[in-house]
Amino acid sequence: MLQVEEKSIEMQRTAKQASKVLRVESMQKDIVRVEYAVRGEIAIRAEELRKQLTVSPNSLPFTRITNCNIGNPQQLAQRPITFFRQVAALVDYPDLLRSESDLFKPDARERATKYLAAIGSAGAYSHSQGVPIVRREVADFIEKRDGFPADPENIFLTAGASPAVQLVLNSLISHPKVGIMIPIPQYPLYTASIALFNGTAVPYYLDEAKNWGLSKEELARSLAKARSEGVEVRALCIINPGNPTGQCLSLENMNEVVEFCKKENIVLLADEVYQTNIYKPAERPFHSFKKVVKSKGPEYDNFELISFHSVSKGMVGECGRRGGYFECTNIDPEVMAQFYKIASISLCPPVHGQLMVGLMTNPPKEGDASYPEYRKEMDDIYQSLVRRSNTLAKALNKLEGVSCNEAEGAMYLFPTITLPRKAVEAAKALGKQPDDMYCMELLNETGVCVVPGSGFWQKEGTWHFRSTFLAPENQMGEFAESLARFHEKFMNKYR
């Protein structure tokens, strides 16, 4: 009788679903096939466990969830930069400017007054391309960084770098056979967006044995294969410093990339959001691709480059503010008019995010009232990131079957793990990738949330996971110990 009732309930549920207009079966197929591992099954499970800990604190073998799955510094207790938040507070509540309190330094008051004069109110729409004085600040920052002119009219402020990347990819992909070259391992934003816009991802592989280096031979192989399959390759994406791999490209490597794109008539998309996360500046300093292109002289005056930056990374870490920009170099003005049209559909990026871009690119300078505090805060965060990256890399390299390159930049380590045959077979029986199973078991036993390497794509037959090193420094020892205990237990379980 119970089975009959259950069958009846299931039939009613199915009939109810079938009567709906909006169903998974009726949705745009490209949306359904998108995958985004950073916020995928394991991250969803982490939120379920977080809720369980809230309701029943002693019900799990750990007391908190440590989100190492995403570069979200302030979620893991990184303090915001005081000057940035002072200006933001004054812009949000201008009555504070009339206060005689010494809580707000003079240069913070001055900057807030300047921004308010330009925008009227943080609650008002801005220019669709971004607040003009902020775009001027970005242009000045780029000129100072690279030594070449930058035009505010070639800069678009955006709600973080991700929407900027998506706008450009959507513009490039006009039919399913348009190919976008992406590094493997890659940040899932790229595969997800290419799938969403119904294009073709063209993978080129980074060499783990050479600290995730890039070779022009691999670029040529990837391009030739795609073209032989009828793919029209229009752009090459490069992430420097790398995500998830943490490598920084050498100047020689960057020149090879630029020369390759010029020879093959390919647009270069330079994701440079980690440009201040450089941990070995003497060996691998950051160079922008714009500087590389401009340094090559008049022969490259028609070279098409789009560069991306964000307030979410670096020592700023203002992910929730949603601020970023992209700069167009030698892009057809008619194409840029189309970019503006699409930007206008959303009216404008978040004004708070735009102002944070201005603050990031035009921070306090030596002699300003806020400079000593600003410099100390930035340096403290940077030095802590260096220490944390080294601590975690050393801890990972002590684990059986684990090998991890040190981070040259960004916020991540991407260790390779050699798993027992029984673990691979157990994962296959569950319909999962082995590193996916490893990461899920890690979460369930320790509360540590990382991302399996399969979510970033990887060389066939290899397994990895990506972890940030953003956990508070005073928790890194405990974090490393819990990881070691789990790893030993996992390896013994599947021997």
Side-chain angles (χ1 to χ4, degrees):
M1 183 66 179
L2 184 60
Q3 287 183 335
V4 173
E5 289 180 0
E6 288 177 348
K7 187 175 182 180
S8 175
I9 291 170
E10 178 63 23
M11 289 175 65
Q12 290 175 26
R13 188 182 68 83
T14 303
K16 189 174 181 180
Q17 283 182 324
S19 68
K20 293 184 180 295
V21 174
L22 185 58
R23 309 184 308 278
V24 171
E25 295 80 9
S26 67
M27 288 179 70
Q28 215 265 48
K29 295 297 182 284
D30 296 324
I31 291 177
V32 177
R33 70 189 181 105
V34 164
E35 295 182 356
Y36 189 65
V38 173
R39 290 286 179 95
E41 179 188 13
I42 293 174
I44 292 169
R45 174 62 177 159
E47 288 307 307
E48 292 172 354
L49 294 174
R50 192 192 309 279
K51 290 177 184 176
Q52 183 176 334
L53 285 172
T54 301
V55 175
S56 183
N58 300 316
S59 61
L60 295 169
F62 45 85
T63 58
R64 61 174 170 262
I65 300 297
T66 304
N67 284 100
C68 296
N69 60 307
I70 192 165
N72 193 10
Q74 292 186 25
Q75 182 189 43
L76 292 168
Q78 179 173 306
R79 291 182 60 81
I81 302 301
T82 300
F83 176 78
F84 296 173
R85 287 300 182 89
Q86 286 194 352
V87 175
L90 291 165
V91 168
D92 254 359
Y93 190 50
D95 285 356
L96 290 171
L97 287 166
R98 293 199 291 269
S99 166
E100 295 181 2
S101 167
D102 59 1
L103 177 63
F104 299 99
K105 291 190 170 60
D107 52 343
R109 291 173 176 272
E110 181 181 343
R111 182 71 65 87
T113 301
K114 176 182 175 182
Y115 283 158
L116 284 166
I119 65 175
S121 168
Y125 290 132
S126 76
H127 190 288
S128 294
Q129 194 170 336
V131 176
I133 63 166
V134 174
R135 285 190 280 126
R136 178 70 265 175
E137 286 178 307
V138 174
D140 290 345
F141 160 79
I142 293 170
E143 287 184 6
K144 182 179 178 181
R145 182 194 68 190
D146 297 339
F148 294 96
D151 185 347
E153 294 306 310
N154 293 335
I155 293 164
F156 287 75
L157 303 184
T158 55
S162 295
V165 169
Q166 289 185 305
L167 186 156
V168 172
L169 289 176
N170 198 10
S171 302
L172 280 161
I173 298 170
S174 58
H175 59 78
K177 280 291 190 178
V178 169
I180 308 294
M181 296 181 70
I182 58 171
I184 302 300
Q186 54 89 40
Y187 181 52
L189 165 68
Y190 291 94
T191 45
S193 299
I194 292 166
L196 180 62
F197 304 136
N198 196 22
T200 299
V202 177
Y204 63 90
Y205 288 85
L206 304 178
D207 188 346
E208 185 170 10
K210 296 181 179 178
N211 208 21
W212 299 110
L214 169 62
S215 74
K216 57 185 178 182
E217 291 79 14
E218 172 59 15
L219 291 178
R221 180 208 61 79
S222 173
L223 178 64
K225 182 177 183 294
R227 285 177 172 170
S228 72
E229 295 168 353
V231 175
E232 181 192 350
V233 177
R234 290 186 177 176
L236 184 150
C237 297
I238 199 146
I239 308 172
N240 185 46
N243 178 9
T245 50
Q247 90 288 359
C248 296
L249 293 177
S250 67
L251 191 56
E252 178 186 5
N253 227 179
M254 295 177 73
N255 273 290
E256 289 175 343
V257 170
V258 170
E259 289 162 9
F260 173 83
C261 289
K262 183 178 187 299
K263 176 185 175 184
E264 302 296 345
N265 197 28
I266 293 172
V267 180
L268 179 57
L269 307 181
D271 182 336
E272 298 174 336
V273 302
Y274 298 100
Q275 60 188 259
T276 57
N277 293 101
I278 301 294
Y279 306 128
K280 298 184 178 181
E283 302 168 36
R284 287 292 170 90
F286 173 77
H287 301 279
S288 76
F289 269 100
K290 181 181 179 182
K291 182 176 181 179
V292 172
V293 170
K294 290 294 184 181
S295 297
K296 296 182 83 66
E299 186 183 351
Y300 284 75
D301 281 352
N302 203 37
F303 186 94
E304 295 168 277
L305 167 68
I306 301 178
S307 308
F308 306 91
H309 196 12
S310 168
V311 302
S312 298
K313 311 305 176 186
M315 274 50 74
V316 180
E318 292 280 5
C319 303
R321 297 275 168 171
R322 306 314 300 136
Y325 72 81
F326 67 96
E327 182 191 21
C328 299
T329 302
N330 300 321
I331 301 300
D332 189 318
E334 292 186 6
V335 170
M336 290 179 58
Q338 297 300 313
F339 287 166
Y340 179 78
K341 178 180 71 177
I342 298 304
S344 299
I345 293 173
S346 300
L347 296 175
C348 73
V351 171
H352 292 93
Q354 293 186 58
L355 298 185
M356 193 58 65
V357 171
L359 292 165
M360 175 184 73
T361 54
N362 184 21
K365 296 174 178 59
E366 197 163 1
D368 292 344
S370 295
Y371 181 78
E373 183 177 40
Y374 165 79
R375 187 71 270 153
K376 183 179 187 306
E377 289 174 341
M378 294 288 281
D379 289 347
D380 285 351
I381 293 170
Y382 174 79
Q383 294 298 337
S384 178
L385 284 169
V386 172
R387 290 192 298 269
R388 281 178 279 170
S389 72
N390 291 334
T391 297
L392 185 56
K394 288 176 183 176
L396 288 167
N397 279 317
K398 290 179 181 178
L399 303 181
E400 178 189 355
V402 175
S403 176
C404 183
N405 290 319
E406 292 183 350
E408 295 176 340
M411 297 176 170
Y412 316 100
L413 294 173
F414 197 65
T416 181
I417 49 177
T418 302
L419 296 173
R421 178 178 55 82
K422 288 183 180 179
V424 176
E425 291 172 352
K428 186 177 180 181
L430 293 171
K432 292 181 176 293
Q433 296 289 347
D435 50 7
D436 195 359
M437 184 182 77
Y438 178 94
C439 294
M440 184 62 81
E441 291 195 21
L442 173 66
L443 172 64
N444 286 329
E445 293 197 23
T446 68
V448 173
C449 182
V450 297
V451 189
S454 47
F456 299 92
W457 296 16
Q458 56 195 344
K459 189 176 180 180
E460 189 173 351
T462 66
W463 314 111
H464 301 80
F465 64 84
R466 187 193 78 168
S467 174
T468 71
F469 40 84
L470 297 174
E473 195 164 4
N474 62 4
Q475 296 175 17
M476 286 301 288
E478 176 190 342
F479 172 63
E481 287 173 10
S482 64
L483 183 59
R485 286 193 300 269
F486 164 78
H487 186 79
E488 182 179 14
K489 181 179 176 182
F490 182 93
M491 297 298 280
N492 290 333
K493 177 180 176 181
Y494 291 106
R495 288 192 194 282

